[in-house]
Amino acid sequence: MKQPAFRLEPVLRLRRTEERAASLAAAAAARDAAAAAERAVQDAEALSTRSVPRAASGAAFVAAMVASATAAADVSEARAIARARSEQAEAVRARWTAAAQRTKGLERLRERHLDALRAAAETAEARTVDDLVTGRHGRRPQDGEEGTTWTD
């Protein structure tokens, strides 16, 4: 006898695929966020090592200050990008979590289905055994057969 299939199996496969895609996207977003944070740290370290030349003309001094201001703006921008990538990674991670929860719900339904099938099979087997036992006991010996009853 063929067991009835779990009717939501195609949906479960789709959910598992969605969860895998979401996990890959979350990993990529986390890598991007980490790289952006590292770049911001490197830019900040590079800015902190900058110095103004001591014996410089006024034009060289102004150029050094403009370069430092530009570097500071770059550090600020790198930090903003790192913060945005971190928020984006968190949003992608939340989508992954939601996909995992949807998948888990269907997996629980599938397990309940399999448990119900096992219980039905065990019940049918027990019923068959009971029918065999009670069928043998209920038969009366035919002519020429020796029969024993439970009271003998």
Side-chain angles (χ1 to χ4, degrees):
M1 181 171 104
K2 183 178 176 183
Q3 290 185 344
F6 181 55
R7 289 188 285 166
L8 296 176
E9 191 67 38
V11 177
L12 179 58
R13 282 195 306 271
L14 176 65
R15 295 273 170 90
R16 285 179 177 155
T17 301
E18 288 173 347
E19 182 183 357
R20 268 187 247 114
S23 72
L24 293 174
R31 279 192 306 274
D32 289 347
E38 180 63 28
R39 179 159 185 245
V41 168
Q42 289 172 352
D43 288 353
E45 288 174 356
L47 178 63
S48 67
T49 61
R50 293 181 72 88
S51 63
V52 178
R54 295 191 187 266
S57 65
F61 178 77
V62 170
M65 294 309 291
V66 168
S68 291
T70 303
D74 288 346
V75 168
S76 178
E77 182 181 348
R79 286 180 179 160
I81 289 171
R83 195 170 29 258
R85 295 257 170 95
S86 176
E87 290 170 0
Q88 180 183 8
E90 187 60 36
V92 172
R93 194 175 310 116
R95 282 190 294 246
W96 176 29
T97 301
Q101 288 173 343
R102 287 190 304 271
T103 301
K104 190 67 173 171
L106 276 176
E107 286 173 345
R108 280 190 297 251
L109 281 175
R110 184 175 184 272
E111 285 301 315
R112 286 182 193 159
H113 173 76
L114 293 175
D115 289 344
L117 289 177
R118 276 187 229 114
E122 289 171 5
T123 301
E125 183 179 345
R127 188 173 297 132
T128 301
V129 169
D130 287 347
D131 288 347
L132 287 173
V133 169
T134 57
R136 283 185 193 150
H137 180 66
R139 279 191 237 130
R140 302 210 183 260
Q142 300 296 327
D143 290 335
E145 288 183 17
E146 286 189 23
T148 59
T149 63
W150 65 275
T151 58
D152 288 343

